[in-house]
Amino acid sequence: PPPPPPPPLRVLRQREAEGGAGGAPSFREAWMAWRREFSEFFASEGDADVLRRTSRAFNQMRAWLGESFPEILASLLPGMSREEVSAAESAASLTLSTSIRAMYRVCNGQDEGQVALHFNIAKGAKNWMGLFGGYSFYDNAVNLRFLTLPQALTLRTLCQETSHRSVRGLFEPILPFACSFQWAVETVPPRTMFVRPTNDVVVSMGDPSQEPGAVHASCQGRGLLRWLEAYAERLRGGYYRKARLLRELPESVGISLFPRAGETYCETVTRGVQVKASSLLVPEMCGGAGARRYFFAYSIRFRLLAPLREAGKDVATCQLLSRHFTFRHWDRNGNVREDKVEGQAVIGMHPLLRA
């Protein structure tokens, strides 16, 4: 008689989690188990390609996390079953795109027990372990955790119920998949990432309960699959790194979205002082209601690399007294504009550097 088929992929994963022999006897049998588990994607080559690319993106994220941030890796949940995704769609009367289904079939968000969904100072580092990173400036702090599908559907309902009347219709066709922490259970997060099931456009918004011209913003990007691939590639390329997100909180270590490479990052050394500068777009503060206003935050880091020889003396410290910044940007006609900022100190501080 022919040999029995290999056990389903979910059974293999369970065996491995329990400390047993989780792998299939051969590559072919592992491939067949994987193909059977995700059979709904193999009816068309296009859907199969979406699944393969989604799996590859998450595998790249997991590889980077394993080396750089194992705590976040441990928070990632296994993918949902075909039946679980279909049940969620039926309950919400929502049809998910192939990309969204593939994402949640590969990984169902982050474990709320390991990553705080609601900010609580007592939870310490768990507040800052969002898969999709974060940043802070002044009193604004963002850390994007990957939502499970049930959490995403719950937040979608909350956005529909609490959004300002002029933007309420925006939440009918879109699904949140990542958000910053909520300050209270029934409050909308200060930043949320949405995807439109009809065309996979990724949209980032601020608090929808406010007037659109205030803090509401919708900054469209690429499709969900390309967004995931680009994020994974930036992790692998050193564009984003593990760093403290709030200077005054040592436990606020997460994935910093202030770039450490690329066109919005620069680095130079002058008289032994290393200066690193980077900037990022802050979608939740961009202008809404047709206003073409874009809000950027910047990060400046200084370090004295080694003692200096100045005027015949060894100098082991230096202090910042004043600043002169030149910001270059392009207007809507493509012309380069410059804004200059000069003044004493930086945010009222005179940092002392030691070699």
Side-chain angles (χ1 to χ4, degrees):
L9 186 62
R10 297 175 72 82
V11 173
L12 297 178
R13 288 174 175 167
Q14 183 63 30
R15 289 180 184 173
E16 189 173 10
E18 293 172 352
S26 68
F27 174 81
R28 179 181 182 278
E29 293 186 358
W31 161 251
M32 293 302 295
W34 184 78
R35 186 181 177 104
R36 193 164 48 251
E37 173 74 14
F38 296 97
S39 59
E40 73 270 27
F41 292 94
F42 289 91
S44 109
E45 181 57 33
D47 289 356
D49 184 60
V50 169
L51 175 64
R52 284 190 288 264
R53 290 169 59 187
T54 302
S55 298
R56 186 183 304 118
F58 273 95
N59 286 339
Q60 290 171 347
M61 289 185 224
R62 289 187 176 104
W64 184 88
L65 292 171
E67 295 179 359
S68 305
F69 219 139
E71 297 88 348
I72 293 182
L73 177 62
S75 74
L76 298 184
L77 295 170
M80 302 175 73
S81 70
R82 182 188 312 113
E83 295 75 18
E84 289 170 335
V85 173
S86 296
E89 285 181 299
S90 298
S93 299
L94 183 68
T95 300
L96 302 179
S97 67
T98 301
S99 295
I100 300 174
R101 288 183 64 91
M103 179 176 68
Y104 280 113
R105 293 280 276 115
V106 170
C107 180
N108 185 28
Q110 292 183 266
D111 184 354
E112 189 175 355
Q114 300 186 54
V115 182
L117 187 58
H118 305 105
F119 185 85
N120 186 335
I121 193 66
K123 294 182 180 179
K126 291 184 178 181
N127 289 303
W128 309 99
M129 292 201 303
L131 173 63
F132 297 127
Y135 48 85
S136 71
F137 54 91
Y138 299 118
D139 58 351
N140 189 72
V142 166
N143 189 248
L144 295 166
R145 60 264 298 113
F146 180 22
L147 298 170
T148 66
L149 185 53
Q151 288 173 339
L153 294 173
T154 299
L155 180 57
R156 177 172 176 263
T157 300
L158 179 62
C159 289
Q160 291 172 330
E161 294 174 347
T162 62
S163 60
H164 191 271
R165 63 184 181 277
S166 60
V167 296
R168 193 161 298 154
L170 292 175
F171 297 97
E172 291 299 331
I174 59 180
L175 177 77
F177 68 93
C179 74
S180 190
F181 31 60
Q182 294 169 270
W183 297 103
V185 175
E186 293 300 326
T187 60
V188 174
R191 178 175 173 182
T192 304
M193 303 293 294
F194 296 87
V195 57
R196 296 185 188 277
T198 54
N199 57 12
D200 276 347
V201 167
V202 174
V203 181
S204 182
M205 293 187 181
D207 183 355
S209 65
Q210 304 296 320
E211 287 280 357
V215 297
H216 172 269
S218 58
C219 299
Q220 296 186 0
R222 297 176 178 178
L224 176 63
L225 177 55
R226 284 295 299 122
W227 189 90
L228 292 170
E229 289 177 324
Y231 182 73
E233 187 59 36
R234 289 187 171 194
L235 287 177
R236 295 177 62 212
Y239 198 94
Y240 301 138
R241 298 185 186 179
K242 180 179 180 179
R244 187 187 297 186
L245 302 184
L246 264 71
R247 180 177 52 83
E248 63 274 15
L249 278 181
E251 68 270 22
S252 64
V253 176
I255 299 174
S256 174
L257 297 183
F258 277 110
R260 300 295 182 91
E263 62 183 8
T264 60
Y265 171 84
C266 61
E267 175 182 337
T268 191
V269 177
T270 304
R271 294 173 63 190
V273 178
Q274 182 188 62
V275 181
K276 299 179 179 180
S278 60
S279 63
L280 58 81
L281 178 70
V282 184
E284 66 272 17
M285 291 190 174
C286 293
R292 300 189 64 178
R293 185 192 68 204
Y294 300 96
F295 190 99
F296 290 84
Y298 61 88
S299 169
I300 308 289
R301 293 177 293 277
F302 304 89
R303 184 160 69 109
L304 182 60
L305 298 177
L308 305 175
R309 189 74 177 172
E310 294 278 344
K313 298 181 180 180
D314 290 329
V315 178
T317 64
C318 67
Q319 190 168 23
L320 185 147
L321 299 179
S322 62
R323 71 191 187 280
H324 175 95
F325 294 156
T326 300
F327 297 93
R328 294 185 179 91
H329 60 93
W330 288 262
D331 62 21
R332 64 184 61 186
N333 297 319
N335 300 314
V336 177
R337 303 293 185 186
E338 288 190 353
D339 293 325
K340 297 184 183 296
V341 176
E342 296 182 353
Q344 298 299 307
V346 173
I347 59 171
M349 304 177 70
H350 296 85
L352 179 66
L353 308 181
R354 300 180 184 276

